[in-house]
Amino acid sequence: MKLHTGMGPNPRTVRMFLAEKGVELPLVQVDLMSGENRRPPYLDKNPAGQLPCLELDDGVILAEVLPICEYIEERHPQPPLIGATPEARAVTRMWTRRVDLNIVEPMANGFRYGEGLMLFKDRIHTIPQAADDLKAIGREKLAWLDGLMAGRQFIAAPHVTLADVFLFAFLDFGRTVGQPLDPNLAWISAWFERMAARPSAAASA
């Protein structure tokens, strides 16, 4: 197996997930800034033109962050970052889905249509006039999450899960591109510092 990776929060999510698992894979760096991911031979592997993708030994290509992490979890179930029981897996998937739809997607598109517009305008359909509203949605839903997390150390379980890794990668990226963390979100701020201190955060940067 090898992971085709590069800059940005999506590839970092998978690298951090691997680091939490203690799994090492060969990494193939793909230059997103030059558009290497938007032309062959990368497009022959992942026609969506997005990073990352996981190339299996039999040539099967897995794209999309969450399915890649699901596959890694099944191949390397310890430590469980999605769950060791059906109930734990369902809870982690529920929170990961909430994080994805409510926070990650608005934040990411707010960047693509705003600060990242010059990079993305010729690669995807962009909506510049929506950038500020999308960022506002991300902030509102992050405050919503903050209000639900009292008494917890992590989002979906007493230990780190995919939901934490996924959100951390995007918040850490967001604060470098005009979407800083609100210091008034006490739980999120403390959680972010806990996540940033994990060895996997440094290993995946």
Side-chain angles (χ1 to χ4, degrees):
M1 280 194 300
K2 55 187 175 183
L3 181 68
H4 297 262
T5 188
M7 66 181 298
N10 280 310
R12 189 184 183 190
T13 297
V14 176
R15 295 197 304 271
M16 189 169 177
F17 191 86
L18 287 166
E20 287 284 345
K21 286 283 188 183
V23 174
E24 294 186 7
L25 293 179
L27 302 180
V28 179
Q29 295 294 329
V30 179
D31 187 355
L32 183 146
M33 293 299 292
S34 71
E36 184 182 357
N37 57 310
R38 297 283 172 170
R39 59 179 183 263
Y42 184 79
L43 276 182
D44 298 331
K45 298 182 183 296
N46 181 9
Q50 298 168 333
L51 291 172
C53 74
L54 183 66
E55 185 171 356
L56 307 187
D57 293 340
D58 61 2
V60 170
I61 301 294
L62 301 179
E64 308 298 337
V65 168
L66 303 183
I68 290 173
C69 291
E70 293 262 1
Y71 177 80
I72 293 166
E73 174 95 348
E74 291 194 24
R75 289 291 301 269
H76 303 276
Q78 296 299 324
L81 297 184
I82 296 175
T85 67
E87 291 79 9
R89 288 190 290 273
V91 168
T92 298
R93 288 166 179 151
M94 174 182 72
W95 281 107
T96 303
R97 180 72 168 161
R98 287 171 172 171
V99 164
D100 191 8
L101 292 179
N102 292 305
I103 302 169
V104 164
E105 278 300 310
M107 282 185 63
N109 284 325
F111 164 71
R112 293 178 187 120
Y113 304 162
E115 289 80 1
L117 182 62
M118 294 308 294
L119 179 63
F120 286 97
K121 65 183 179 64
D122 296 323
R123 302 184 184 186
I124 62 172
H125 184 94
T126 56
I127 313 171
Q129 64 271 25
D132 288 342
D133 285 339
L134 286 165
K135 293 175 191 177
I137 290 170
R139 290 193 302 270
E140 290 166 6
K141 291 301 184 178
L142 197 59
W144 169 79
L145 180 66
D146 185 82
L148 296 175
M149 292 291 109
R152 303 188 189 200
Q153 288 289 299
F154 300 103
I155 295 171
H159 55 82
V160 167
T161 68
L162 174 57
D164 299 289
V165 171
F166 191 37
L167 182 59
F168 174 78
F170 274 85
L171 293 186
D172 199 32
F173 174 76
R175 66 188 186 135
T176 71
V177 292
Q179 298 186 62
L181 287 176
D182 181 352
N184 294 315
L185 301 181
W187 188 90
I188 291 291
S189 296
W191 165 88
F192 184 89
E193 293 304 317
R194 285 194 295 276
M195 293 297 296
R198 297 184 72 83
S200 63
S204 61

